[in-house]
Amino acid sequence: MAIKHKDLFFDYPEYWPKPNYDFSKLSMSENEFQLGRQLFYDPILSRDNTISCASCHLQATGFTHVDHDLSHGIDGRIGTRNSMTIMNLAWNTSFMWDGGVNHLELQALAPISSENEMDETLANVVDKLNESKKYKSLFFQVHQDSLVTGQKTFLALTQFVVMLNSYNSKYDKYIRKEAGGDFTEQEKNGLSIFRENCASCHKEPLFTINEFKNNGLKVDTTLNDYGRMLITQNSKDSLKFKVPTLRNIQFTAPYMHDGRFETLQEVLDHYTADVQESKTLATELKKTIQLSHIEKVDLLVFLRTLTDKEFLFDKRFSFPNNNL
Amino acid sequence: MSYINKQPKFKLDYIVMFLLFFTIFSGASQNSNKDLSINIVTSFDGESIEKDKWYVTKNNDSIQITKLRFYLTNFVIQTEDKKNDSIFNSNYLIDAFNKETLKIILSNTNYNKEDKLLLSIGVNEHLNTSGANSGDLDPSKGMFWSWQSGYINFKMEGKSPSCKTRKNKFQFHIGGYQKPFESIRVLTFKLSAIKNNELTININIAHFFDALQLSSQNQIMIPGKEANDAADRLPQLFSIDE
């Protein structure tokens, strides 16, 4: 068995919690990272070779889809949900809006295969990769074995996406008291409004508690998506969705699991005026959040400090520009 | 101030695990030598399972079976003193239509005729939650759910005019590892039936349909109570030649 060279460092601020993901199956090698990057941007992963992961997860928008509220492209449940951002995934305890996927390495199975036809599909992808000279050689570089398997394909994708970490926003620099991290009065005020009203769910530093909550959205009767309940089959989970991170939120519109809001202004209007009472509504939201016009503006200004341009424009994460 | 936490990666763990595995394995093989060969025979009340063949269930549903795949895992030989002699990496995907999968060889086993063979129908919880696995557990085998993570422990598909579904299809995908709907089931056999180091396990699919009216129940696609109830019936399908 080849002991793999570990030349990638998984970096994160030391005051962050430990990642939840167990890295032991990854080679942590540059080769596997680059292989994963190729796969992420390659439509070879779709049935008809038209859609890549990047079709729905664009780097410049925090790896989510901008123009559509409901992601297009593949049948099955995916068509009824808004694409999610991909960042800091090693800290997630589950994946998807309803947490249906229990492990990062298996997340890609959902977009690659649709529910009823899955038996063939990943197997076909693996066949296609096994027929590709380019991929045989890339897999060989990682495993000293050119045979492509489902497991190796998923590990490579994981090696890429798990490195997509965002921790260099203005907010992060403010917390670390670094250059570029000077908050204006407005931003400071926005942060304290945030901590008072939002942080119970969107908790720093990852801006999520990794739990499922009903944040009071009106049920869209054309979709009737009950979220977490689909997975647990427990009515206590009705209308609960994963609390998403708010990092890079300025660029990840549209918002919510069904992409119903175009702007952050609308999101704030929801939290302050339109929260729907129901059996499963989060206790944190039972009492209406009251914000003046000025407070809302300050909060919006603060949310922009979560933008991490270094991450959004990091060339290592972009479309691989090569002639392989 | 340095805020970057550089983690030395997992090289060491690999070596340690590898060595550990090796010691256990070689230790176990020292006092054992027999290969136990297990034949899996699937049938419908004694008739062999073939793709275009028609069968009639107890409730008079005519059926054809187009797919029959399931996991047999966690093979353990239990001696009388209850010292378990488990067989490593014993996760097998059985496919009734693929001969190669119908023979399982447990190598270097150490057993007596008084011992018992324990095995499970389905995949254990740990393997359901430990990410992308290899071999028969590889996600490309089509036995892993995509929208709700977890292995399909037992998959049977086919056709019956009794099913008022698209193309008269029935689909039973039985799985789920989370309480209270864990669908893995344990089987116990006496090893007294072993002849020439061979054991035959019969799986009579007819029993799956004994308590089933296909017109009303013809789809199980997610974990839950229905899958759990169906899993309860699975052990009845299995028997050994005594």
Side-chain angles (χ1 to χ4, degrees), chain A residues 190 264-265 268 295-305:
Chain A
L264 287 170
Q265 181 65 52
L268 293 194
E295 285 170 323
K296 280 190 189 173
V297 173
D298 290 358
L299 182 50
L300 288 172
V301 168
F302 163 71
L303 289 173
R304 289 179 176 220
T305 69

Side-chain angles (χ1 to χ4, degrees), chain B residues 50 56 99 101 111 113 118 122 160 174 176-177 182 195 215 223 237:
Chain B
E50 284 162 46
V56 181
K99 274 212 172 96
T101 67
Y111 60 85
K113 296 225 155 184
L118 273 58
S160 167
I174 297 164
Y177 65 90
E182 315 110 300
K195 284 194 196 85
S215 55
L237 276 51

Side-chain angles (χ1 to χ4, degrees), chain B residues 54-72:
Chain B
W54 286 96
Y55 309 92
V56 181
T57 70
K58 204 172 172 183
N59 296 308
N60 273 328
D61 292 317
S62 295
I63 62 162
Q64 281 185 316
I65 293 168
T66 54
K67 192 170 280 180
L68 176 57
R69 312 174 83 201
F70 50 90
Y71 280 106
L72 295 183

Side-chain angles (χ1 to χ4, degrees), chain B residues 43 49 51 55 76 81 89-91 112 128 159 181 185 188 190 195-196 198 201-202 226 232:
Chain B
S43 74
I49 304 283
K51 275 224 165 119
Y55 309 92
V76 173
D81 56 8
N89 289 330
S90 52
N91 300 298
N112 294 308
N128 270 284
K159 282 180 227 164
F181 300 125
R185 293 293 179 272
T188 308
K190 287 191 204 127
K195 284 194 196 85
N196 301 328
E198 276 196 39
I201 300 184
N202 298 305
E226 265 191 305
D232 283 341

Side-chain angles (χ1 to χ4, degrees), chain A residues 219-230:
Chain A
V219 180
D220 181 335
T221 50
T222 64
L223 298 170
N224 285 320
D225 188 343
Y226 291 94
R228 185 68 180 156
M229 190 175 86
L230 298 173

